Amino acid sequence: DGGITQSPKYLFRKEGQNVTLSCEQNLNHDAMYWYRQDPGQGLRLIYYSQIVNDFQKGDIAEGYSVSREKKESFPLTVTSAQKNPTAFYLCASNALDSNQPQHFGDGTRLSIL
Amino acid sequence: AQSVTQPDIHITVSEGASLELRCNYSYGATPYLFWYVQSPGQGLQLLLKYFSGDTLVQGIKGFEAEFKRSQSSFNLRKPSVHWSDAAEYFCAVGASGGYQKVTFGTGTKLQVIP
């Protein structure tokens, strides 16, 4: 079945450490997105990518980095510069050639040790 | 700038009762509107979407929503709620086609009591 796979489901970060969240999709979608979800705040866009080797900052990009070396993959790195990384992170994707909504993965919960 | 308001943070209904979740949006052109549902610890699942055409939209799991341009609203309804509908519901607004700059509301958490 086609879908979006996020791993790991739970991740713990030590102070000063960078961690990388994985997002893989087999839907052949062009665009991919990373959101951060905090209780009572809805979803906020971190980064998005419309094509391989290109990506743009969203509303809260500081302390995060991404890459898009393959169409299927859009990993997110939470750097030590992100002072409040504890949150639920959601990856999404959609096709660009039609009015299709975003499909979401099951998320990764990141916590600080 | 586009925005979405979900005025109800938490709603409790009895199983079998009807449900209406409110959503108001702000958008400069014809909006592309969505309702998503999220179970605890899970991703978002699309319930329904509206872009154009009939203003009453049918979705999955027996949900429907009505687009009212004059009221800038896109309320979600279900005639009879089931215990499995307990979840958090998000309304969203965005542009159609291409890269989607989608803005999400803060969500409404639905509790269903027997």
Side-chain angles (χ1 to χ4, degrees):
Chain A
D1 288 339
I4 300 176
T5 301
Q6 290 187 241
S7 62
K9 192 167 180 63
Y10 301 95
L11 188 58
F12 299 90
R13 195 191 89 169
K14 296 179 181 178
E15 294 289 341
Q17 185 182 45
N18 294 350
V19 292
T20 297
L21 285 61
S22 171
C23 178
E24 304 276 334
Q25 55 99 358
N26 60 4
L27 301 166
N28 199 33
H29 285 169
D30 302 294
M32 297 187 74
Y33 311 79
W34 273 106
Y35 293 92
R36 170 179 172 141
Q37 185 178 23
D38 295 280
Q41 295 195 43
L43 277 69
R44 292 182 290 168
L45 183 65
I46 304 172
Y47 268 98
Y48 67 96
S49 167
Q50 299 181 75
I51 193 170
V52 173
N53 292 324
D54 187 46
F55 46 84
Q56 284 76 41
K57 293 181 179 180
D59 300 319
I60 56 165
E62 186 173 349
Y64 300 97
S65 66
V66 294
S67 63
R68 187 88 185 274
E69 297 177 0
K70 299 186 299 181
K71 187 175 183 178
E72 306 78 25
S73 179
F74 192 42
L76 173 74
T77 296
V78 184
T79 75
S80 56
Q82 172 50 246
K83 297 307 179 188
N84 184 24
T86 297
F88 192 54
Y89 291 87
L90 287 161
C91 179
S93 69
N94 75 306
L96 289 179
D97 58 355
S98 60
N99 294 323
Q100 293 300 315
Q102 294 177 21
H103 295 255
F104 284 82
D106 283 339
T108 293
R109 185 166 298 281
L110 176 62
S111 302
I112 297 298
L113 283 177
Chain B
Q2 60 195 50
S3 66
V4 176
T5 301
Q6 292 182 250
D8 303 307
I9 297 173
H10 191 271
I11 282 184
T12 299
V13 300
S14 299
E15 191 169 14
S18 64
L19 172 70
E20 183 169 27
L21 301 182
R22 296 184 290 165
C23 173
N24 292 97
Y25 68 89
S26 173
Y27 191 76
T30 300
Y32 194 15
L33 295 160
F34 314 84
W35 274 100
Y36 285 90
V37 61
Q38 184 182 36
S39 297
Q42 300 294 315
L44 275 66
Q45 180 184 20
L46 181 72
L47 286 175
L48 47 80
K49 64 182 188 289
Y50 171 80
F51 174 55
S52 64
D54 193 347
T55 56
L56 185 62
V57 181
Q58 301 298 319
I60 63 171
K61 304 185 179 187
F63 286 92
E64 66 178 26
E66 186 171 12
F67 171 60
K68 293 186 177 180
R69 185 186 299 274
S70 61
Q71 299 177 20
S72 297
S73 69
F74 188 57
N75 294 350
L76 182 71
R77 302 193 295 247
K78 186 169 185 178
S80 177
V81 170
H82 188 262
W83 63 266
S84 60
D85 293 324
E88 191 158 19
Y89 292 80
F90 291 91
C91 181
V93 64
S96 63
Y99 153 63
Q100 286 186 353
K101 168 63 175 173
V102 176
T103 299
F104 289 84
T106 52
T108 297
K109 191 164 289 188
L110 173 65
Q111 182 182 8
V112 179
I113 56 177

